[in-house]
Amino acid sequence: SEIEAQGEISIKSRLTENRGNIFATEKVEVTGEKLDNSNGELRSNSKIALDVKDTRNVKGYILSDGLTKEDVKKEEAKENSGSISINTEKGINITGTLDNREGVIRGREITVGGNLTGNSKGKIDSIGALTLTGKIIDNKNGIIKGNIKKINADK
């Protein structure tokens, strides 16, 4: 299944499951109890805001700022895509718990406000600022990259 919009996408649901593609040229916002993006792709040419208590991104992709799976696979940032955007909203903001096992999260700025319960074989890659404020960060066999702004973890 595919949801594509020229503009913003706003999803308000207790449970949002994405096994296909969700793409917006502007902001993507998901609000609710749980987002399951396992094996799915959630992309935006702008910002992604996930205001949910529990996000699962097992083998999924969450990509902001016009980045694509191909960019991730090639490990190339689209710094100079040739398009100029006046939109100042950028990056990815995840408020709740995150399970990113074998998943990829990539954007210009990334904030994970809750616990990172799993990042095994996963990748959290911020081109700019990276903030992790959860009490638990489980990054066993995972990769976390970026300009670390803040890490506030007990373990």
Side-chain angles (χ1 to χ4, degrees):
S1 64
E2 190 166 309
I3 298 173
E4 193 170 313
Q6 296 291 324
E8 294 186 10
I9 293 177
S10 180
I11 299 171
K12 292 180 174 116
S13 175
R14 191 176 62 73
L15 169 63
T16 302
E17 287 188 54
N18 179 38
R19 299 288 182 267
N21 296 308
I22 297 175
F23 170 72
T25 57
E26 294 178 22
K27 183 178 182 179
V28 174
E29 183 174 25
V30 180
T31 306
E33 293 289 316
K34 184 173 184 173
L35 167 65
D36 189 346
N37 191 56
S38 298
N39 297 304
E41 186 174 338
L42 183 59
R43 288 190 311 120
S44 167
N45 284 347
S46 182
K47 181 180 179 73
I48 296 176
L50 304 178
D51 188 11
V52 294
K53 290 182 182 173
D54 185 26
T55 300
R56 287 181 50 92
N57 191 44
V58 177
K59 296 183 181 180
Y61 289 83
I62 299 174
L63 306 166
S64 71
D65 307 299
L67 299 168
T68 66
K69 280 196 326 193
E70 290 73 28
D71 291 331
V72 171
K73 289 177 182 174
K74 288 187 230 169
E75 289 300 323
E76 295 174 2
K78 283 174 68 176
E79 292 286 340
N80 301 315
S81 64
S83 63
I84 298 170
S85 175
I86 318 170
N87 191 344
T88 57
E89 286 194 300
K90 60 184 176 181
I92 299 169
N93 184 37
I94 301 171
T95 58
T97 299
L98 172 64
D99 178 356
N100 191 49
R101 290 172 292 158
E102 297 184 50
V104 175
I105 298 174
R106 187 158 191 212
R108 300 223 184 284
E109 293 179 0
I110 298 174
T111 299
V112 178
N115 293 330
L116 177 59
T117 58
N119 196 37
S120 176
K121 296 182 182 175
K123 185 173 190 178
I124 298 174
D125 185 1
S126 178
I127 295 166
L130 175 63
T131 305
L132 304 170
T133 59
K135 296 295 182 192
I136 297 169
I137 298 174
D138 181 354
N139 190 42
K140 186 176 180 183
N141 299 317
I143 297 171
I144 297 176
K145 288 181 11 181
N147 294 327
I148 296 174
K149 198 170 171 183
K150 180 179 179 183
I151 291 183
N152 181 29
D154 291 340
K155 65 176 194 173

